[in-house]
Amino acid sequence: MANKDMSKDVLNVVKKKTGKSVSPKDIERLASGVKPSTLQSETQLRQLIKQVSGLVNVKVSEETINDIIQAVKSSKLDSNNMQQLMNMMMGKK
């Protein structure tokens, strides 16, 4: 998947799941702070989830945050492969 196509896919998924539009600049600004180590640190991952939640103005319960953290930690994702993570989040194989 080309980077440009992936960006459009991410924006479409956000809009579909939340009913909110997010600009590419908002996604880029948020993504620029994400590093492979972000996925290894529960504190950083929790912060990222809250940033995304704030970006789309959708409240995420503590239980859902914990579920997301558990799913990321238990997955077999290569933390250096962000495309693999995005595919997982968008429900693609």
Side-chain angles (χ1 to χ4, degrees):
M1 174 186 324
N3 199 19
K4 192 172 189 176
D5 292 339
M6 188 164 145
S7 296
K8 286 171 57 176
D9 286 347
V10 170
L11 294 175
N12 289 334
V13 167
V14 168
K15 186 171 185 174
K16 181 180 175 185
K17 300 248 182 199
T18 67
K20 315 261 192 255
S21 292
V22 178
S23 77
K25 286 196 185 275
D26 290 335
I27 296 288
E28 288 173 21
R29 186 174 39 242
L30 186 64
S32 69
V34 177
K35 298 174 179 45
S37 62
T38 303
L39 302 179
Q40 305 302 315
S41 165
E42 183 171 332
T43 302
Q44 289 179 11
L45 191 52
R46 187 174 297 277
Q47 181 179 0
L48 176 61
I49 294 165
K50 289 179 180 181
Q51 287 175 318
V52 172
S53 169
L55 182 65
V56 295
N57 198 27
V58 173
K59 187 167 174 67
V60 178
S61 72
E62 193 63 32
E63 181 180 354
T64 301
I65 291 173
N66 291 335
D67 288 346
I68 293 168
I69 291 170
Q70 229 10 69
V72 170
K73 285 185 165 190
S74 66
S75 71
K76 301 292 186 222
L77 290 176
D78 175 359
S79 61
N80 292 309
N81 187 342
M82 294 308 286
Q83 183 168 340
Q84 184 182 20
L85 175 63
M86 293 306 303
N87 287 342
M88 181 188 91
M89 292 170 58
M90 293 187 304
K92 295 181 179 182
K93 302 253 178 193

